[in-house]
């Protein structure tokens, strides 16, 4: 992310999605648009007592999964993504 710091300070605003999913069982989805050729960081923390599956995919092509992982209780996932095509994306959670 350091190599993009000047771009971010020069007027780019990072995308921040802050969401808490509180569910014993079930699923949830978060939608976001990615309009620029700048990187973004995905950080997820499982602070619950159950493991959950998450995946990120393009809204128009759900079979094109960008990342997915099972997060165990008290586990964290963090990754910087760069070079996404423009478009709408989904982060889905399944507990």
């Amino acid at each position: 992310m350091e190599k993009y710091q000047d771009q971010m300070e020069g007027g780019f605003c990072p995308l921040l999605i802050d969401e808490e999913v509180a569910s014993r069982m079930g699923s949830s989805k978060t939608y976001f648009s990615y309009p620029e050729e700048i990187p973004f960081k995905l950080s997820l923390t499982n602070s619950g007592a159950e493991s959950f599956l998450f995946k990120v995919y393009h809204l128009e092509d759900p079979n094109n999964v960008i990342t997915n992982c099972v997060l165990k209780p008290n586990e964290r996932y963090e990754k910087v993504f760069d070079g996404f095509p423009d478009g709408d994306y989904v982060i889905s959670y399944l507990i």
Side-chain angles (χ1 to χ4, degrees), residues 1-8 14-15 38-42 78-82:
M1 292 296 289
E2 291 80 19
K3 72 179 187 177
Y4 296 99
Q5 192 65 36
D6 291 337
Q7 288 176 314
M8 292 165 66
L15 173 66
I38 57 174
F40 70 93
K41 180 165 64 172
L42 177 63
E78 189 169 283
K79 184 173 180 179
V80 174
F81 293 92
D82 192 7

Side-chain angles (χ1 to χ4, degrees), residues 4-60:
Y4 296 99
Q5 192 65 36
D6 291 337
Q7 288 176 314
M8 292 165 66
E9 290 174 2
F12 292 114
C13 181
L15 173 66
L16 173 64
I17 299 171
D18 186 7
E19 178 178 347
E20 181 176 334
V21 178
S23 174
R24 290 190 173 267
M25 298 299 277
S27 63
S28 176
K29 292 182 180 178
T30 301
Y31 299 86
F32 68 96
S33 292
Y34 184 69
E36 299 290 334
E37 288 292 326
I38 57 174
F40 70 93
K41 180 165 64 172
L42 177 63
S43 298
L44 298 169
T45 302
N46 184 353
S47 59
E50 301 292 329
S51 296
F52 71 86
L53 168 70
F54 77 89
K55 65 181 174 178
V56 179
Y57 57 91
H58 198 278
L59 183 61
E60 293 176 9

